[in-house]
Each structure stands twice: as structure tokens, then as C-alpha cells.
Amino acid sequence: MQGDYKAGQQRIEWADNSMPVLASIRQEWAESRPLAGVRIGACLHVTTETANLMRTLVAGGAEVALCASNPLSTQDDVAAALREVYGVPTFARRGEDREAYYRNINLVLNTRPHLTMDDGADLVNTLHGDRRDLLQGVIGGTEETTTGVIRLRAMEEDGYLEYPIVAVNNALTKHMFDNRYGTGQSTIDGILRATNHLIAGSVFVVVGYGWCGRGVASRARGMGADVIVVEVDPLRALEAVMDGYRVMGMDQAAREGDIFLTVTGNLHAIRGHHFALMKDGAIVANAGHFNVEIDLAALGDMAEEHRQVREYVEEYRLPGGKRVFVLAEGRLVNLAAAEGHPAMVMDMSFANQALACKWLLEQKGALEKRVYDVPVQIDREIARRKLQSMGIAIDELTPEQEEYLRSYRQGT
Ligand code: ADE
């Protein structure tokens, strides 16, 4: 179904109000045109915030084509506005099946991009698989998310990666804000829109205590939940303990939880025997990139009945009558049932994306086939502009303090 492009345009403009850093880059680039003549193939969640990134790349002179990085996250009105108003070829439709998803990735690749922009590395993977003929023309790429960076590092280690990619996720102005406060808020938003469940007084199990897990746990606690953290890494588990959460194994958490949220980036964090231990009415959702964290095949095998009971809510009835409710088919609940992260944090993530593209072009020929971090100067510049946009001035070191930091002779 074609989305309503006027509604999409209005929502894109609304998001732009909260994306001042990206807007400042767009304004500068309309003059300097650093991306003139560059073709960019992007595979991102098709949201209002992504639309503002596309507008920025176009203002910089790039020719951009866009497809979705998840079959359920596309906002059809935004896709329509991108096509009709902003002239960005956008190959995406909410609810597309796997075949359409990869067909759309291939349509973007058909534009023979010089730069790739990925969220989860599906575009890069397809390029390194069926479309190797296009690799020669690629200068570099960027990657938005933790899961994508993990895949790319594995490719690099295997000697399989064919061009340099900037791990936007690793910028501090990305993961400290987007992963933590963005995922924290938008995940709760998705769970609430899907269920209207009261968080206060609920036992809320967060599986995975990376930046996203930390964010979800803190927002759930802020709304009055009793938060349990499940984690396999001893350092992270210890951090969760000292952050004041109950920490335990999944077998015990499965018995206690009312709401379960996976953010591990790994396979089957919730498995068949865990469902068997859950209370009647348990709600299970995922905010990790891929829909592999909840073993839905096992749940399907165990269930006697399975039906949709509300938009984005599926009920699985187990032998004996116990029910487990799964949200958004185990896909990113924050993007499927809500609108993804607020523009305020995507502003910094996408400023990193834009400036990483410019940096890759400046470094053309000088980089290896590796995963690179965003240069620290870019990270700090984005933080500086963000503070400025918020009207917050901070102090500078005095010359005496700078000298002190450079010296090693002064002691007790
Ligand atoms: N990832 C998480 N939230 C997002 C958003 N609002 N737009 C694009 N990608 C996202």
C-alpha cells in the first residue's frame, strides 16, 4: 500500500525540529557539496529520522538510494515522502516478506554505490555474496549498529571484507545516547503501545546488559518496575548488581518475570524450557537487531494454539492453558510497535553517519579493508554542536590546567 506522502513530509519536518546537528551539517553542505557525484546505497530503518539523513546526503551532492534494514520497521508515509517530495529512490514497504526484502537490497545495489550505509550489515553481506561484481566501485561504507559491527569484524578477521567500513556504532556520541537513551525509551514505548500494560509493579526481565540493556533497565526502573538483569558476561553482570538490579540466571528469571525483553545480539537468549517455566500471561519482546533472540520455533512447537489477539501481540497457548504473549513477532519492538528512537538521539547517530561518509571520501585510497572507528575529532565536534544546540556552555581548561596534564613531575 502506498503511504500518504504529505503526512510523511509533515512527520519528517517534525523530527527535523529535534535534529539540529544534522540540520547544521545540511546547511553547510548545501554550500560546500562534499559528496558531489557520489552514489550512496543505504539500508536503514525507513523512519522520519532516516529521511532527514537522506536529505542531508542529497544536500551534500550525493545520489542516494534507500531500502529497509528490517521488514517491519518501514514507515510507509515516510517512504512515500522520500520518493515523492525529496526525490530519493526508496525501495521499502512495511511488512515486506524475506524475498521482497532482499529484492529491495538488490535494487539499491543496482545503483552501483560508491559508499554503502548499513544497519545490520545485510547490504554489505549481499554485496560480498551474490553481487561481488560491484565491489570494485566501492570506496567505503558505514555501519550503524552493534550487531552489524560484530558481523563486519568477523568478516575482517576472515580476510573476507573487501573495503573499509566505519563503525558508526562505536562513536561515543552514538552508543552512549542512541543505544542507551534511545533504545531505553523507544523499547518501553513499543511495549506500551502494543500492550498498554502497567510497568509499575511488574517484574521486568532485561536479558543482556550492554548499552541497550542498561538503557531499558533504567527506564523500566524509572517507571516503577522491579528489574531483573540476565547477563553472561561477569563484568556486565557485576555492573548490573552495583547499579542496583537483581541479577540471576535465565532459568530463575523465567519463573519470576512478567515482561521479558531481549537485547543480547545473540541467538536464542530465551529458549523452549524457559517458556515452560514462565507465569501465565508473560509478555516476551525483543529489541536486539535480528529476530533470533527468542526461540519462536520452539515456542510454536510447544504451543497447542497460536493466534493474534491485538496488533503486534500474538498469544501462544501451552498445554495446561498457560499463555505467553509475543510482541512484534520477536522483531525490534521499538521500531515495529513504536517509531524507533526519538529524533533527539538519532540526530547525533546520523550526524556521525554523514560525517563518516565525508571522511571516507577524504581518505580514499589511504584506508585498508578494515573496520575503522569514527575519528575522535568528529565525535567531539558532534558533542560540541549538540551542546550548543541545547544552549549549554561548558568551561575550558585553564592554561595552567593544560600544562599540568602535560607534565609528570608534579606529585604529592
Ligand atoms: N534505529 C532505532 N531507531 C531509529 C530511528 N528512529 N530511525 C532510524 N533508525 C533507528
Side-chain angles (χ1 to χ4, degrees):
M1 195 183 67
Q2 175 71 289
D4 172 354
Y5 74 86
K6 284 200 176 128
Q9 184 182 7
Q10 263 187 350
R11 296 203 310 112
I12 290 165
E13 287 172 4
W14 173 255
D16 199 42
N17 292 331
S18 300
M19 304 183 85
V21 178
L22 196 62
S24 70
I25 295 169
R26 185 154 70 236
Q27 235 174 14
E28 288 166 18
W29 281 10
E31 293 287 318
S32 58
R33 308 276 288 174
L35 312 183
V38 175
R39 292 190 297 272
I40 301 180
C43 178
L44 300 170
H45 300 293
V46 181
T47 64
T48 54
E49 294 76 21
T50 296
N52 285 317
L53 172 60
M54 297 299 106
R55 292 171 65 197
T56 306
L57 302 176
V58 169
E63 282 174 42
V64 193
L66 174 67
C67 62
S69 58
N70 184 296
L72 265 193
S73 62
T74 298
Q75 298 170 6
D76 285 332
D77 58 345
V78 170
L82 277 165
R83 286 187 287 258
E84 304 287 328
V85 183
Y86 302 108
V88 175
T90 301
F91 308 106
R93 197 163 61 86
R94 193 178 190 83
E96 64 196 11
D97 60 17
R98 193 172 188 281
E99 199 186 324
Y101 177 78
Y102 278 99
R103 192 184 324 121
N104 288 333
I105 286 182
N106 277 292
L107 285 170
V108 166
L109 289 175
N110 286 350
T111 65
R112 295 178 294 113
H114 300 117
L115 297 177
T116 61
M117 188 176 277
D118 233 332
D119 188 333
D122 281 345
L123 185 89
V124 169
N125 243 305
T126 308
L127 189 53
H128 282 71
D130 294 342
R131 305 300 303 271
R132 296 189 71 81
D133 55 305
L134 299 172
L135 281 167
Q136 227 188 357
V138 180
I139 297 167
T142 62
E143 170 53 52
E144 170 77 5
T145 201
T146 317
T147 298
V149 173
I150 291 169
R151 292 173 98 189
L152 292 169
R153 286 219 190 282
M155 287 170 76
E156 177 188 332
E157 264 163 44
D158 268 3
Y160 185 62
L161 187 65
E162 290 291 346
Y163 58 88
I165 300 202
V166 177
V168 164
N169 183 70
N170 294 4
L172 298 179
T173 46
K174 200 281 185 180
H175 66 259
M176 278 173 65
F177 304 94
D178 168 317
N179 300 28
R180 180 167 41 178
Y181 302 114
T183 308
Q185 179 167 313
S186 63
T187 297
I188 302 288
D189 187 11
I191 293 170
L192 291 180
R193 291 198 206 190
T195 64
N196 201 24
H197 191 89
L198 185 69
I199 303 285
S202 295
V203 178
F204 195 119
V205 179
V206 178
V207 190
Y209 202 63
W211 285 99
C212 296
R214 291 177 184 117
V216 176
S218 85
R219 303 300 101 158
R221 176 160 65 187
M223 292 185 75
D226 170 11
V227 178
I228 294 173
V229 170
V230 173
E231 174 55 67
V232 293
D233 180 283
L235 282 167
R236 288 181 173 181
L238 189 58
E239 184 186 355
V241 171
M242 298 219 180
D243 283 345
Y245 301 111
R246 293 198 284 148
V247 175
M248 61 186 73
M250 191 61 213
D251 283 7
Q252 185 55 32
R255 294 180 170 88
E256 298 195 26
D258 299 308
I259 303 171
F260 296 84
L261 188 276
T262 54
V263 260
T264 66
N266 212 333
L267 188 72
H268 297 170
I270 301 182
R271 299 182 282 283
H273 77 280
H274 296 134
F275 296 116
L277 296 170
M278 287 179 187
K279 299 182 208 168
D280 177 40
I283 293 169
V284 181
N286 168 54
H289 185 78
F290 289 116
N291 59 335
V292 297
E293 305 208 8
I294 303 166
D295 189 353
L296 286 180
L299 182 60
D301 288 344
M302 290 162 72
E304 287 179 338
E305 245 186 275
H306 166 210
R307 63 185 182 128
Q308 179 161 4
V309 290
R310 197 179 145 97
E311 197 178 11
Y312 302 116
V313 185
E314 279 174 87
E315 176 191 86
Y316 289 78
R317 192 175 284 271
L318 304 186
K322 190 162 77 178
R323 296 158 307 158
V324 174
F325 297 113
V326 175
L327 308 190
E329 302 167 19
R331 296 191 187 274
L332 286 160
V333 70
N334 56 335
L335 280 139
E339 293 170 69
H341 303 352
M344 183 77 173
V345 289
M346 294 313 295
D347 186 27
M348 290 188 280
S349 310
F350 285 168
N352 275 290
Q353 285 282 6
L355 296 179
C357 285
K358 178 167 174 273
W359 182 78
L360 279 165
L361 295 174
E362 288 162 355
Q363 303 299 317
K364 185 178 171 185
L367 300 175
E368 295 169 40
K369 298 171 179 180
R370 277 183 34 211
V371 179
Y372 286 85
D373 282 343
V374 173
V376 67
Q377 304 89 307
I378 291 181
D379 216 354
R380 294 181 74 81
E381 173 62 13
I382 291 170
R384 196 189 62 73
R385 287 194 193 203
K386 191 69 174 173
L387 282 168
Q388 193 180 33
S389 76
M390 298 163 96
I392 296 169
I394 59 170
D395 289 341
E396 288 177 8
L397 292 174
T398 64
E400 183 191 28
Q401 286 172 323
E402 281 191 7
E403 174 58 28
Y404 179 79
L405 291 178
R406 273 197 301 272
S407 70
Y408 46 84
R409 292 199 187 280
Q410 291 182 49
T412 315

